[in-house]
Coordinates of all heavy atoms in Angstrom, one line a residue:
Chain A
W295 N -0.1 -10.9 -46.1 CA -1.2 -10.6 -46.9 C -0.9 -10.3 -48.4 O -1.7 -10.3 -49.2 CB -2.0 -9.4 -46.3 CG -2.8 -9.8 -45.1 CD1 -2.3 -10.3 -44.0 CD2 -4.2 -9.7 -44.9 NE1 -3.3 -10.6 -43.1 CE2 -4.5 -10.2 -43.6 CE3 -5.3 -9.3 -45.7 CZ2 -5.8 -10.3 -43.1 CZ3 -6.6 -9.4 -45.2 CH2 -6.8 -9.9 -43.9
C296 N 0.4 -9.9 -48.7 CA 0.7 -9.6 -50.1 C 0.7 -10.9 -50.9 O 1.6 -11.7 -50.7 CB 2.1 -8.9 -50.1 SG 2.6 -8.7 -51.9
P297 N -0.1 -11.0 -51.9 CA -0.2 -12.3 -52.7 C 1.1 -12.4 -53.5 O 1.4 -13.6 -53.9 CB -1.4 -12.1 -53.5 CG -2.2 -11.0 -52.9 CD -1.2 -10.1 -52.2
A298 N 1.8 -11.3 -53.8 CA 3.0 -11.5 -54.6 C 4.1 -12.0 -53.7 O 5.2 -12.3 -54.3 CB 3.3 -10.1 -55.2
G299 N 3.9 -12.0 -52.4 CA 5.0 -12.4 -51.5 C 6.1 -11.4 -51.3 O 7.2 -11.7 -50.9
N300 N 5.7 -10.1 -51.5 CA 6.7 -9.1 -51.2 C 7.1 -9.0 -49.8 O 6.3 -9.2 -48.9 CB 6.2 -7.7 -51.7 CG 6.1 -7.6 -53.2 OD1 6.6 -8.4 -53.9 ND2 5.3 -6.7 -53.6
V302 N 7.3 -6.7 -47.5 CA 6.8 -5.3 -47.4 C 7.5 -4.6 -46.2 O 8.1 -3.5 -46.4 CB 5.3 -5.3 -47.1 CG1 4.8 -3.9 -47.0 CG2 4.6 -6.0 -48.3
F305 N 11.1 -3.7 -47.2 CA 11.3 -2.6 -48.1 C 11.0 -1.3 -47.4 O 11.6 -0.3 -47.6 CB 10.7 -2.8 -49.5 CG 9.4 -2.2 -49.7 CD1 9.3 -0.8 -50.0 CD2 8.2 -2.9 -49.7 CE1 8.0 -0.2 -50.2 CE2 6.9 -2.3 -49.9 CZ 6.9 -0.9 -50.2
L321 N 12.4 -5.4 -53.1 CA 11.2 -5.6 -54.0 C 11.5 -6.4 -55.2 O 10.8 -7.3 -55.6 CB 10.5 -4.3 -54.4 CG 9.7 -3.6 -53.3 CD1 9.4 -2.2 -53.7 CD2 8.4 -4.4 -53.1
C331 N 2.3 -2.4 -59.5 CA 1.5 -2.7 -58.3 C 1.4 -1.4 -57.5 O 0.3 -1.2 -56.8 CB 2.1 -3.8 -57.5 SG 1.8 -5.4 -58.2
G332 N 2.4 -0.6 -57.5 CA 2.4 0.6 -56.7 C 1.3 1.6 -57.2 O 1.0 2.6 -56.6
C335 N -2.6 -2.0 -57.7 CA -2.9 -3.1 -56.8 C -4.0 -2.7 -55.8 O -4.0 -1.6 -55.3 CB -1.6 -3.5 -56.0 SG -1.9 -4.9 -55.0
P336 N -4.9 -3.6 -55.6 CA -5.9 -3.3 -54.6 C -5.3 -3.4 -53.2 O -6.0 -3.0 -52.2 CB -7.0 -4.4 -54.7 CG -6.3 -5.5 -55.5 CD -5.2 -4.9 -56.3
A337 N -4.1 -3.7 -53.1 CA -3.3 -3.6 -51.8 C -3.9 -4.4 -50.6 O -4.3 -3.8 -49.6 CB -3.0 -2.2 -51.4
P338 N -4.1 -5.7 -50.8 CA -4.5 -6.5 -49.6 C -3.6 -6.3 -48.4 O -4.0 -6.4 -47.3 CB -4.5 -7.9 -50.1 CG -3.9 -7.9 -51.5 CD -3.9 -6.5 -52.0
C339 N -2.3 -6.0 -48.7 CA -1.4 -5.8 -47.6 C -1.9 -4.7 -46.7 O -1.7 -4.8 -45.5 CB 0.0 -5.3 -48.2 SG -0.1 -3.9 -49.3
M340 N -2.5 -3.7 -47.2 CA -3.0 -2.6 -46.4 C -4.2 -3.0 -45.6 O -4.5 -2.4 -44.5 CB -3.3 -1.3 -47.3 CG -2.0 -0.7 -47.7 SD -2.3 0.6 -49.0 CE -3.4 1.7 -48.2
I354 N 1.1 1.5 -48.1 CA 2.1 0.6 -48.6 C 2.2 0.7 -50.2 O 3.3 0.9 -50.7 CB 1.8 -0.9 -48.2 CG1 1.8 -1.0 -46.7 CG2 2.9 -1.8 -48.9 CD1 1.3 -2.3 -46.2
R355 N 1.0 0.8 -50.8 CA 1.0 0.8 -52.2 C 1.7 2.1 -52.7 O 2.6 2.1 -53.6 CB -0.4 0.8 -52.7 CG -0.6 0.9 -54.2 CD -2.0 0.9 -54.7 NE -2.8 1.8 -53.8 CZ -4.0 1.6 -53.4 NH1 -4.6 0.5 -53.8 NH2 -4.6 2.4 -52.6
E358 N 5.4 1.7 -52.3 CA 6.0 0.8 -53.3 C 6.2 1.6 -54.6 O 7.2 1.5 -55.3 CB 5.0 -0.4 -53.5 CG 5.6 -1.4 -54.4 CD 4.7 -2.7 -54.6 OE1 3.7 -2.7 -53.9 OE2 5.1 -3.6 -55.3
T659 N -1.4 -8.6 -58.5 CA -0.5 -9.1 -57.5 C -0.6 -10.6 -57.3 O 0.3 -11.3 -57.2 CB -0.6 -8.4 -56.1 OG1 0.2 -9.0 -55.2 CG2 -2.1 -8.4 -55.6
Ligands
SF4_802 S1 1.9 -5.9 -54.5 FE1 0.0 -5.1 -53.7 S2 -0.3 -6.4 -51.9 FE2 1.9 -6.6 -52.4 S3 3.0 -5.0 -51.3 FE3 2.5 -4.2 -53.3 S4 0.6 -3.1 -52.9 FE4 0.8 -4.5 -51.2

Side-chain angles (χ1 to χ4, degrees):
Chain A
W295 286 58
C296 172
N300 289 344
V302 179
F305 98 77
L321 281 167
C331 284
C335 184
C339 55
M340 286 168 57
I354 301 170
R355 179 181 44 218
E358 187 176 356
T659 176

